[in-house]
Amino acid sequence: MFGKIMDFRLCEDSLVIVTDDTPIYVEAVNSNCFRIYEQKAYNSFAVTDYTKGKLNAKKVDGGVSITSSFGKVIIRDYLMMEFYDNNDNLLLKSNDSNFKRTYETNCLAQFEGHSVLEEEKMKVRLLFDIKENELFYGLGDKTGWLNKRGYEYQNYNSDIPEPHVDSFRSLYKSIPFYLSLCDELTYGVFFDNTFRTNFDFGKFNNILTIESIKGEIDFYFIYGNNLKEVVSNYTALTGRYPLPQRWSLGSHQSRWGYACKEHIDEVVKGYEENDIPLGAVHLDIDYMENYKVFTYSEKKYPKLKEYIKSLNEKGVKVVTIIDPGVKVEEGYFMYDEAIKNGYAATKNGETYINAVWPGDSIYPNYLKEDTRLWWGDKTKILTDLGVSGIWNDMNEPASFKGPLPDDVEFFDGDNYYYHDEIHNVYGHLMSKATYDGLKKNTGLRPFVITRACYAGSQKYSTMWTGDNHSMWGHVQMAIPQQCNMGLSGLPFIGTDIGGFGGDSTAELMARWIEVGCFSPLLRNHSSTGTKRQEPWCFNDEVTKIYRKHVNLRYELIPYYYDLFHEHESNGLPIIRPAILEFQSDKKLTNQNDQFMVGEYLLVSPVVLPGQEQKLVYLPDSEYGWYDYFNGEKVSSGYSIRSAKLNEVPLFVRGGSIIPTAKVTRNLEEDPQELILKCFPGEGNYTHYVDDYKTFNYQNGEYNKYLFSLKDDILEVKTLHNGYDKTYNKLTVVYKNKTHEFNFKDGKYRLV
């Protein structure tokens, strides 16, 4: 593919390396990244617009040394690469051993039912040395533990109903981005290839392998002085999640099996009677007329518009599922319009048909802009009914009559692409169409959930981890899985609380809500045919535990909203591993049973049955740590904490200021009071307020406040005043005492 280097030349904004085979292009991107690729006009599905920096180049032995303001790359013959930072530290170096993994084909093992991998013919293969202490994170939605060293994964969006275990190479999402930490050195790699790709982090030896079955090299080497900077620089490249509507941060209830209005009435009544806040109900495929998208059953949901209005008046939003498969049925408007206008994928020039829930179905060609506009416009059917969000499912794309063949055709208006290239971005493009349609039809910040996605999908959608199961292994996996999704640029994430498949026990549900109440997306979801898992379906104890932790979540919503505002500015995740905050602490490099919410809160939930105590590890912090609930100071290092069934150990860094609110059933209401929970030490905190639903904040319609804590004095200062509503009352909780003030700038003594 790449031969010996013959020459190089600097153009306006890139370097071209001429080889005796394929030319190599190099760019400096966003002042923190080298892009190395082989096609001048490659169109990325993930990357947003970027600025190009200045490059300098000179000949070195066997290659070219290229420098920019942030680092250096040496490219030698046959695309052998070495990346250095500005201190001349070697970060990544190509391996020239021509290592090729060997696979054993064992017929007896296959006959007994074992899966045996066989060597694939890969068009692109990049090999790099792995350093002795190097650790790997990222790759989005994958099984396994936090540190991915020693694991091998494949990026091929897959709907797998069996319980997900560590040996699964693929799940629903394909994020070809990883982060490296080796001692104090960090970097990231984004391999922008939408074909099926493999990442092997030293499964067989100390060689990192990145390979793709087809396509070309489009390789971004991302610099950063620490893991935070790498994540921030990656999300600057692929995009960040825009501020969500505040209601979406509340409690969601869903089930495949809410087949009629009466089922929803039962759910809403159950939440009311048990005094548990409910922000949204989700309607799975049963609400549709014969599973036809953009329809609803008048028989099951009569007068749906009036019904949704009545739910909204109670503070309960409605989110409806939509699948990509359009039923083959003449006279059905979606099918007729798709065929008439050429909106469907084809095979050998004919409309391609497979099957999903409605039976024989066609697949919209979201690659084509006209198709996306058409699909987005159809969301008005749902928003006119009062629907507040759309849940995109089955968009890997899933199919019932075998997988879509690689040669299914997608036409973008100029060129044909095939399914093997579009597969991993199908859900990404569906989310974009849905997001753009909702934004156009409502003017509000869209709420879109997707199961399948690609890098950059965070610009359009929230995600969940798909069809998990009611098993302890999956509540354990929820922690590293969500942490790696956050490190991969996906901030608005969650798992199906209680598990989608299987039957949750009372203890499992109690422990799962103690994890799930901290997930950015808090949704209880289960499958038809399984045990009902609304919180009151277990026993009074579980109901009380569920209520307690949903209330805790609602109390913390101002903090979560600030974290989303922070993400839009710097790309950092909401849920994050502690190693992101305490990078020098080696005890955190593969910590899988704790996580942080933002930079101030550390959660250490129980994820094993029968435990009533938890071994907690708190890294060194300047002003120590405090128990969030009782204000008791807690020593750094290891300690054993009480963790009875109704308790989740939750800690906050000294000097922290945590904005909270009184629990309300309706998150549409503007809060009148801000409650600050302050912990001894010194610190600053910026709090953000807007109308919680429109894009007016982008025109300056927001308020921003700076809170500073020092020597038992809290200072309040308005940084920006562009929104006409503000708090009337400020309540401060400090050293277990409560102080009440009028909300205005000033200094307030707390002792």
Side-chain angles (χ1 to χ4, degrees):
M1 179 185 290
F2 297 100
K4 290 188 175 183
I5 294 175
M6 310 299 291
D7 196 7
F8 68 90
R9 60 181 182 271
L10 277 168
C11 302
E12 269 188 36
D13 50 18
S14 64
L15 174 78
V16 182
I17 299 176
V18 180
T19 77
D20 58 8
D21 197 333
T22 304
I24 303 165
Y25 298 88
V26 183
E27 292 175 351
V29 176
N30 292 343
S31 299
N32 53 45
C33 173
F34 283 119
R35 181 188 180 196
I36 299 167
Y37 61 106
E38 61 177 289
Q39 181 177 328
K40 183 69 174 174
Y42 181 75
N43 180 31
S44 173
F45 293 100
V47 174
T48 56
D49 292 336
Y50 57 77
T51 58
K52 298 178 184 178
K54 184 180 179 181
L55 293 172
N56 295 299
K58 64 180 181 180
K59 287 185 178 180
V60 294
D61 183 30
V64 182
S65 176
I66 306 153
T67 58
S68 191
S69 60
F70 48 83
K72 175 177 70 176
V73 57
I74 298 175
I75 300 179
R76 304 186 192 276
D77 295 341
Y78 309 109
L79 197 61
M80 294 288 106
M81 299 180 286
E82 301 166 23
F83 294 90
Y84 298 85
D85 64 14
N86 279 330
N87 295 317
D88 214 32
N89 292 308
L90 177 63
L91 302 177
L92 182 66
K93 181 181 179 181
S94 292
N95 181 284
D96 60 0
S97 65
N98 293 318
F99 164 70
K100 190 174 184 180
R101 293 172 296 167
T102 58
Y103 293 86
E104 295 180 356
T105 302
N106 190 315
C107 295
L108 282 177
Q110 289 177 315
F111 182 74
E112 192 182 357
H114 296 284
S115 176
V116 177
L117 294 177
E118 296 185 9
E119 178 68 18
E120 297 175 299
K121 292 182 178 179
M122 310 301 288
K123 180 184 177 185
V124 176
R125 176 175 279 129
L126 299 173
L127 305 179
F128 300 97
D129 294 331
I130 296 178
K131 297 178 183 178
E132 181 179 355
N133 298 323
E134 193 165 10
L135 311 168
F136 299 101
Y137 306 102
L139 279 198
D141 181 17
K142 295 289 189 282
T143 62
W145 304 114
L146 181 65
N147 174 23
K148 299 305 183 187
R149 181 160 181 169
Y151 283 83
E152 179 192 23
Y153 294 101
Q154 184 174 93
N155 280 324
Y156 192 75
N157 293 353
S158 303
D159 174 19
I160 304 175
E162 293 82 13
H164 306 150
V165 295
D166 289 5
S167 60
F168 279 37
R169 301 170 75 213
S170 300
L171 283 177
Y172 305 93
K173 302 165 185 66
S174 294
I175 313 295
F177 166 73
Y178 76 85
L179 303 90
S180 166
L181 171 63
C182 185
D183 299 321
E184 288 300 304
L185 300 178
T186 58
Y187 71 85
V189 164
F190 174 44
F191 184 60
D192 193 5
N193 183 310
T194 67
F195 288 93
R196 182 155 45 91
T197 59
N198 296 332
F199 283 75
D200 181 346
F201 297 106
K203 178 179 178 179
F204 293 94
N205 52 27
N206 290 325
I207 295 177
L208 165 65
T209 305
I210 303 173
E211 56 189 8
S212 62
I213 197 163
K214 287 184 181 179
E216 298 175 339
I217 289 178
D218 199 357
F219 183 95
Y220 294 82
F221 187 87
I222 302 169
Y223 285 83
N225 292 318
N226 50 56
L227 290 172
K228 276 188 170 182
E229 285 190 11
V230 175
V231 174
S232 185
N233 292 338
Y234 166 72
T235 54
L237 184 70
T238 59
R240 294 166 180 166
Y241 192 89
L243 267 173
Q245 293 191 59
R246 185 173 59 168
W247 69 261
S248 65
L249 302 181
S251 170
H252 299 235
Q253 180 65 50
S254 180
R255 180 175 171 84
W256 176 20
Y258 294 155
C260 59
K261 170 183 173 294
E262 288 71 25
H263 290 169
I264 301 299
D265 286 337
E266 177 188 338
V267 168
V268 174
K269 182 180 179 182
Y271 271 89
E272 290 175 345
E273 290 181 343
N274 289 283
D275 194 26
I276 303 172
L278 177 64
V281 290
H282 292 216
L283 305 185
D284 210 315
I285 57 176
D286 292 312
Y287 83 94
M288 290 184 269
E289 184 68 49
N290 296 324
Y291 308 127
K292 294 188 289 188
V293 294
F294 298 109
T295 71
Y296 74 94
S297 170
E298 287 277 5
K299 182 178 179 181
K300 297 177 181 178
Y301 288 90
K303 299 182 179 179
L304 183 56
K305 185 173 183 177
E306 291 83 353
Y307 181 55
I308 291 177
K309 182 180 179 183
S310 71
L311 292 175
N312 289 169
E313 289 170 351
K314 296 180 179 181
V316 179
K317 300 293 187 180
V318 173
V319 177
T320 50
I321 199 170
I322 288 290
D323 297 337
V326 173
K327 183 175 177 60
V328 175
E329 181 182 283
E330 292 187 6
Y332 168 37
F333 68 97
M334 289 294 292
Y335 175 75
D336 291 345
E337 292 174 21
I339 296 302
K340 177 182 177 181
N341 296 294
Y343 294 151
T346 60
K347 189 174 187 296
N348 298 324
E350 302 292 330
T351 301
Y352 176 74
I353 297 174
N354 203 303
V356 277
W357 300 117
D360 283 352
S361 302
I362 59 174
Y363 288 76
N365 170 22
Y366 299 116
L367 184 65
K368 190 176 182 181
E369 184 178 11
D370 288 349
T371 306
R372 294 198 303 272
L373 291 172
W374 166 72
W375 190 267
D377 285 344
K378 293 305 180 187
T379 64
K380 193 172 188 298
I381 295 171
L382 299 173
T383 57
D384 283 351
L385 291 170
V387 170
S388 296
I390 291 179
W391 162 20
N392 288 339
D393 198 20
M394 305 290 287
N395 55 352
E396 288 72 34
S399 51
F400 293 170
K401 292 183 177 179
L404 273 65
D406 285 349
D407 60 351
V408 170
E409 302 150 340
F410 295 85
F411 184 58
D412 71 352
D414 296 312
N415 300 294
Y416 279 94
Y417 295 75
Y418 293 102
H419 175 245
D420 56 357
E421 182 172 6
I422 299 305
H423 178 89
N424 283 340
V425 293
Y426 192 80
H428 172 92
L429 294 170
M430 182 186 184
S431 295
K432 175 175 170 53
T434 307
Y435 179 93
D436 290 344
L438 287 175
K439 185 176 181 180
K440 173 185 174 183
N441 292 328
T442 69
L444 303 177
R445 307 171 200 171
F447 180 69
V448 181
I449 310 176
T450 188
R451 189 169 74 178
C453 76
Y454 185 69
S457 292
Q458 65 269 11
K459 296 188 289 289
Y460 316 118
S461 184
T462 176
M463 299 91 180
W464 91 108
T465 57
D467 294 348
N468 60 3
H469 282 247
S470 301
M471 49 193 288
W472 287 96
H474 279 191
V475 74
Q476 293 168 23
M477 189 168 68
I479 295 174
Q481 197 170 20
Q482 290 184 93
C483 284
N484 272 313
M485 289 173 73
L487 293 175
S488 304
L490 312 179
F492 204 166
I493 50 178
T495 66
D496 285 343
I497 293 171
F500 176 73
D503 301 312
S504 181
T505 64
E507 184 185 8
L508 179 59
M509 175 55 73
R511 292 309 191 185
W512 211 311
I513 190 60
E514 291 170 1
V515 175
C517 72
F518 295 102
S519 297
L521 177 64
L522 194 172
R523 185 178 76 157
N524 180 326
H525 182 47
S526 57
S527 174
T528 184
T530 65
K531 180 179 178 179
R532 293 288 291 267
Q533 58 185 43
E534 294 83 7
W536 55 88
C537 292
F538 298 91
N539 55 45
D540 289 343
E541 184 180 26
V542 170
T543 304
K544 291 177 182 178
I545 292 169
Y546 206 98
R547 181 191 306 119
K548 174 182 176 180
H549 290 92
V550 171
N551 283 341
L552 173 61
R553 165 54 170 265
Y554 274 62
E555 174 184 303
L556 288 168
I557 280 179
Y559 179 62
Y560 274 79
Y561 199 74
D562 284 341
L563 289 175
F564 273 101
H565 170 66
E566 176 190 72
H567 167 83
E568 195 173 23
S569 301
N570 61 23
L572 295 181
I574 314 304
I575 280 187
R576 56 188 72 169
I579 190 67
L580 191 68
E581 297 295 334
F582 301 93
Q583 186 175 295
S584 298
D585 193 330
K586 303 305 180 185
K587 293 183 176 66
L588 300 174
T589 56
N590 199 22
Q591 188 183 64
N592 292 280
D593 64 347
Q594 298 185 173
F595 59 93
M596 296 191 71
V597 181
E599 61 180 296
Y600 301 116
L601 296 180
L602 188 147
V603 190
S604 187
V606 169
V607 290
L608 289 171
Q611 286 191 348
E612 291 194 342
Q613 292 181 313
K614 180 70 189 290
L615 178 64
V616 170
Y617 178 74
L618 299 176
D620 287 335
S621 186
E622 183 176 4
Y623 299 107
W625 292 89
Y626 291 83
D627 186 296
Y628 178 83
F629 300 108
N630 62 26
E632 170 193 332
K633 189 164 187 179
V634 183
S635 299
S636 297
Y638 288 104
S639 64
I640 296 176
R641 308 292 297 181
S642 174
K644 294 179 181 178
L645 189 59
N646 66 343
E647 296 176 335
V648 57
L650 176 61
F651 307 94
V652 59
R653 295 168 76 170
S656 295
I657 301 167
I658 307 296
T660 68
K662 288 184 176 178
V663 176
T664 176
R665 300 195 68 83
N666 191 344
L667 291 173
E668 290 279 84
E669 298 172 353
D670 281 300
Q672 301 299 307
E673 177 185 8
L674 181 66
I675 304 170
L676 295 181
K677 294 195 173 183
C678 301
F679 297 84
E682 295 182 11
N684 298 303
Y685 185 89
T686 302
H687 179 55
Y688 174 87
V689 175
D690 61 18
D691 66 14
Y692 303 115
K693 58 186 176 182
T694 73
F695 287 94
N696 293 345
Y697 74 95
Q698 295 179 348
N699 298 319
E701 293 186 25
Y702 64 88
N703 297 334
K704 189 175 284 190
Y705 308 100
L706 176 65
F707 303 119
S708 301
L709 180 65
K710 184 178 181 181
D711 298 331
D712 299 331
I713 293 175
L714 177 73
E715 182 177 4
V716 180
K717 184 178 181 181
T718 300
L719 299 179
H720 182 89
N721 187 10
Y723 180 53
D724 61 1
K725 295 181 181 179
T726 189
Y727 302 104
N728 297 323
K729 181 179 179 182
L730 175 64
T731 299
V732 181
V733 181
Y734 180 66
K735 295 183 178 178
N736 290 326
K737 293 183 179 180
T738 300
H739 309 265
E740 296 182 352
F741 309 98
N742 292 326
F743 191 93
K744 60 182 181 180
D745 287 7
K747 293 184 178 181
Y748 303 91
R749 182 167 291 278
L750 302 179
V751 293

